[in-house]
Amino acid sequence: MIAQPLKPWLLVSVLLNVFLIGGVGGGLYHWKTSAAPAEAVVNQHGLRQAMVKLPPERRRELRQLLRHNRADSQPLVMAGREARLGVIKQLEAPTLDRDVLVAELAKAREADAALRALVDTTLAQFASGLPQEERQKLVEALYTRGQARAVGGKPRS
């Protein structure tokens, strides 16, 4: 007498469990077979992408050079940050002093340009010790949007 009303619930429970197990199993299978490497998932630009494309020993070398220059770059980073805070302060002020705003923007631009020059010098120092194949990888990583080909034509092989 009790078994009769339980049969539909048992059938629903079995079907639900089969469905859930199949869904979890299918999801795991899909995840395992189509998982992209972490490097490809992250949209990286500039030096980070260049580091991904370089061999591990070259990556370490570039990181060490950048860390070595960190002490020189900190004042430039702080100057740029302070100038941008000055820009924000001027833009939020009840009355805008255009001359002060232009001066703060110029300070930020100069600090950013000096920082970029320091990083570029470090990159040039690093690239001077690379063989031609690794320099080519560096070019491909740094100029991914076809800038090098648009300017210089076909890359040399």
Side-chain angles (χ1 to χ4, degrees):
M1 210 181 254
I2 296 175
Q4 192 64 11
L6 289 180
K7 282 185 181 179
W9 291 111
L10 181 62
L11 182 63
V12 168
S13 175
V14 168
L15 288 175
L16 183 62
N17 285 329
V18 168
F19 176 75
L20 289 174
I21 291 170
V24 169
L28 284 173
Y29 174 77
H30 180 69
W31 180 55
K32 290 285 187 184
T33 59
S34 66
E39 298 167 350
V41 173
V42 178
N43 188 11
Q44 297 176 340
H45 301 286
L47 284 177
R48 287 195 174 122
Q49 184 174 1
M51 284 185 174
V52 168
K53 291 194 175 192
L54 290 173
E57 63 275 358
R58 297 295 187 186
R59 251 183 258 169
R60 277 191 295 280
E61 186 180 333
L62 181 56
R63 272 195 204 107
Q64 287 173 349
L65 280 172
L66 292 171
R67 283 184 188 136
H68 178 70
N69 287 341
R70 187 178 292 167
D72 297 336
S73 66
Q74 280 305 320
L76 298 173
V77 170
M78 293 306 295
R81 186 175 295 151
E82 288 173 10
R84 282 186 285 282
L85 287 173
V87 168
I88 291 169
K89 185 187 286 185
Q90 283 301 311
L91 291 173
E92 290 178 339
T95 58
L96 179 69
D97 187 349
R98 186 180 183 282
D99 294 333
V100 174
L101 177 63
V102 169
E104 291 295 328
L105 287 168
K107 285 181 195 175
R109 185 173 48 252
E110 289 169 9
D112 290 344
L115 181 61
R116 175 64 190 254
L118 181 64
V119 171
D120 287 348
T121 303
T122 303
L123 185 61
Q125 178 185 352
F126 172 71
S128 67
L130 293 178
Q132 200 273 334
E133 316 79 57
E134 291 180 0
R135 285 195 318 267
Q136 184 63 37
K137 288 181 184 177
L138 195 62
V139 167
E140 291 169 2
L142 291 174
Y143 301 102
T144 58
R145 294 189 176 99
Q147 296 168 349
R149 289 185 182 166
V151 172
K154 267 187 164 177
R156 295 179 196 165
S157 297

